[in-house]
Amino acid sequence: MDEHVQAWGADDIRKLDKSYRRNLINCLSGFKSACLLGSQSLSGVNNLALFSQVFHVGANPPLMGVLFRPQVVPRHSLENVRANRFFTLNHVHQDIYPQAHQTSARYDADESEFDAVGLEAEMLPGFSAPFVKEAHIKIGLIAKEFHTILANQTQLVVGEVVSLSIPSKAVGEDGFVYLDRLNTVTISGLDRYHKTEALERLPYAKK
Amino acid sequence: MDEHVQAWGADDIRKLDKSYRRNLINCLSGFKSACLLGSQSLSGVNNLALFSQVFHVGANPPLMGVLFRPQVVPRHSLENVRANRFFTLNHVHQDIYPQAHQTSARYDADESEFDAVGLEAEMLPGFSAPFVKEAHIKIGLIAKEFHTILANQTQLVVGEVVSLSIPSKAVGEDGFVYLDRLNTVTISGLDRYHKTEALERLPYAKK
């Protein structure tokens, strides 16, 4: 047994202190996306919430997935997305990550996180969910599928990208988006924010 | 219209060149996890494949999700996980990311990517999937749920963490794992690798 390595089996994990386990397990998925999810209630209140479980599902049709934790109460974002299907994902960058983090506080249903944390809502005609004006990469989606993870009632929402706005300086000739040119951040665990530095872009792997 | 911003609507995205769209859409989910997924066929051939759609599903029980793209043929990893349920996730770090990337080449079912790219398989007793010896963070999982994304037949596998090994120097007193102490990398799009630098860890957000 290497003393420089900490190892846990299934029983060890089960017996961990709740807070310790939450920190530990939340770090296992590696570096994560940092996105502000904008939604709107049927009564017109704009909601904004930080999500790190955001992932690519497919390019054609253009699909993204978001996991909604059911145990987080209130869960205004999920209710809004279920009700009106429109939502936005806005990449968090270095100038707005403290405000993004602050959206996690438990605001009431009739309070807009935009006002509470000091970000500005930006609306597009015909799209009933708010974008974040201060964000650089702004994605508009329509929810297409809802799946329930049976083991813990987590909700997976798959949305189709129907609107996209990215600063030109970050878009390569081949469509690649250079996130670091926009100071996009990444999250580890529940609460640690990182900037990135490119190592390299590798060519398509051949045998 | 701001000339410094590039904008696309649903029709614009649909009409994009296939390769351009693949690059563009793959970048929208922000920074992604870089994990090597180890699996084993029923005939005992070890398989290793790079996955960036890896995410946290829950801490109690400890659950992680992995998306398997169905259009990637051959899809030995998914077949193996379906057949024997065991799989591993091994975080990619700066010393092994070129080898990790190379696992994406189309090796035959009877070829082990471990040998082909020059990484070593590490087996644990009673666990029929290989870990990556050179990785620092090694996670053993058992597949619990399979979901199909109807829009494009992508497969979501939810696995329970049953084994965990992390260098002690990266584990904080509260269970937080400091990924940058292990030079863990993150991926953007299909093929760009980044190291990270911590900005800060923010406290639990209160209203």
Side-chain angles (χ1 to χ4, degrees):
Chain A
M1 185 70 198
D2 183 345
E3 66 184 52
H4 300 300
V5 171
Q6 239 173 300
W8 297 263
D11 281 347
D12 305 320
I13 296 171
R14 205 171 2 245
K15 289 174 189 158
L16 287 174
D17 163 73
K18 187 180 167 188
S19 161
Y20 188 101
R21 181 176 52 225
R22 187 173 57 233
N23 280 323
L24 181 71
I25 304 297
N26 264 282
C27 289
L28 298 186
S29 56
F31 288 107
K32 303 189 283 188
S33 181
C35 279
L36 282 165
L37 189 148
S39 64
Q40 195 176 69
S41 71
L42 293 180
S43 58
V45 179
N46 283 330
N47 184 279
L48 192 65
L50 182 63
F51 279 74
S52 58
Q53 268 77 256
V54 171
F55 42 90
H56 175 78
V57 173
N60 187 26
L63 300 169
M64 297 176 71
V66 183
L67 275 192
F68 291 73
R69 311 298 309 283
Q71 59 270 51
V72 177
V73 177
R75 41 189 156 153
H76 305 139
S77 299
L78 182 57
E79 288 162 12
N80 292 348
V81 172
R82 280 198 185 283
N84 86 16
R85 301 275 166 151
F86 290 89
F87 66 104
T88 71
L89 291 169
N90 308 267
H91 284 208
V92 176
H93 57 75
Q94 280 185 52
D95 294 340
I96 60 170
Y97 78 86
Q99 294 97 310
H101 187 77
Q102 183 58 31
T103 62
S104 308
R106 296 191 177 185
Y107 298 104
D108 297 330
D110 61 353
E111 282 181 293
S112 169
E113 288 82 4
F114 282 97
D115 300 333
V117 309
L119 291 171
E120 194 172 335
E122 185 176 76
M123 303 302 295
L124 283 188
F127 196 89
S128 61
F131 295 84
V132 176
K133 185 167 195 214
E134 293 85 350
H136 301 313
I137 297 185
K138 306 172 191 183
I139 309 163
L141 304 103
I142 297 178
K144 291 288 177 181
E145 291 181 36
F146 297 83
H147 296 261
T148 300
I149 310 301
L150 304 175
N152 70 353
Q153 301 301 306
T154 293
Q155 302 292 310
L156 165 63
V157 176
V158 177
E160 181 167 348
V161 178
V162 296
S163 152
L164 193 51
S165 169
I166 307 177
S168 307
K169 67 175 179 184
V171 184
E173 282 188 2
D174 63 352
F176 195 90
V177 184
Y178 291 84
L179 300 174
D180 41 348
R181 293 184 192 162
L182 304 171
N183 297 322
T184 305
V185 300
T186 173
I187 300 180
S188 63
L190 286 166
D191 51 19
R192 196 152 176 255
Y193 294 80
H194 310 253
K195 59 183 177 179
T196 72
E197 188 184 325
L199 292 162
E200 62 178 317
R201 203 173 158 191
L202 290 177
Y204 186 78
K206 289 192 174 129
K207 191 175 155 181
Chain B
M1 187 65 200
D2 183 344
E3 66 183 56
H4 300 299
V5 170
Q6 238 173 303
W8 296 263
D11 282 347
D12 304 321
I13 296 172
R14 203 171 5 246
K15 288 175 190 159
L16 287 174
D17 164 73
K18 188 180 166 188
S19 160
Y20 188 101
R21 181 175 51 225
R22 187 173 57 233
N23 281 321
L24 180 72
I25 303 299
N26 264 282
C27 289
L28 297 186
S29 55
F31 288 108
K32 303 189 283 188
S33 181
C35 280
L36 281 165
L37 189 147
S39 64
Q40 193 176 70
S41 70
L42 292 181
S43 58
V45 178
N46 283 331
N47 184 277
L48 192 65
L50 182 64
F51 280 74
S52 59
Q53 268 77 255
V54 172
F55 42 91
H56 175 77
V57 173
N60 187 25
L63 300 170
M64 298 176 71
V66 183
L67 276 190
F68 290 73
R69 312 298 310 285
Q71 59 270 51
V72 177
V73 177
R75 41 190 158 153
H76 305 142
S77 299
L78 182 56
E79 287 163 12
N80 292 348
V81 172
R82 279 196 186 285
N84 87 14
R85 300 276 167 151
F86 291 89
F87 65 105
T88 72
L89 291 169
N90 308 267
H91 283 207
V92 177
H93 57 73
Q94 281 185 51
D95 294 340
I96 60 170
Y97 77 86
Q99 293 98 310
H101 187 78
Q102 183 59 30
T103 61
S104 309
R106 297 191 177 185
Y107 298 104
D108 296 332
D110 60 353
E111 282 183 293
S112 169
E113 287 82 3
F114 281 97
D115 300 332
V117 308
L119 292 170
E120 194 173 336
E122 185 176 76
M123 302 302 295
L124 282 189
F127 197 89
S128 61
F131 294 84
V132 176
K133 185 164 201 243
E134 293 84 349
H136 302 312
I137 298 184
K138 307 172 191 184
I139 310 164
L141 303 104
I142 297 179
K144 291 287 178 182
E145 292 182 34
F146 297 83
H147 297 261
T148 301
I149 310 301
L150 304 175
N152 70 353
Q153 300 301 307
T154 293
Q155 302 293 309
L156 165 63
V157 175
V158 177
E160 182 167 347
V161 178
V162 295
S163 153
L164 193 51
S165 169
I166 307 178
S168 307
K169 68 175 180 184
V171 184
E173 283 187 1
D174 62 352
F176 195 91
V177 184
Y178 291 84
L179 301 175
D180 42 350
R181 294 185 193 162
L182 304 171
N183 297 322
T184 305
V185 300
T186 173
I187 300 181
S188 63
L190 286 167
D191 51 19
R192 195 154 176 255
Y193 294 81
H194 309 253
K195 59 182 176 180
T196 72
E197 189 183 326
L199 292 161
E200 62 179 316
R201 203 171 157 192
L202 290 178
Y204 186 79
K206 290 193 174 126
K207 192 175 154 182

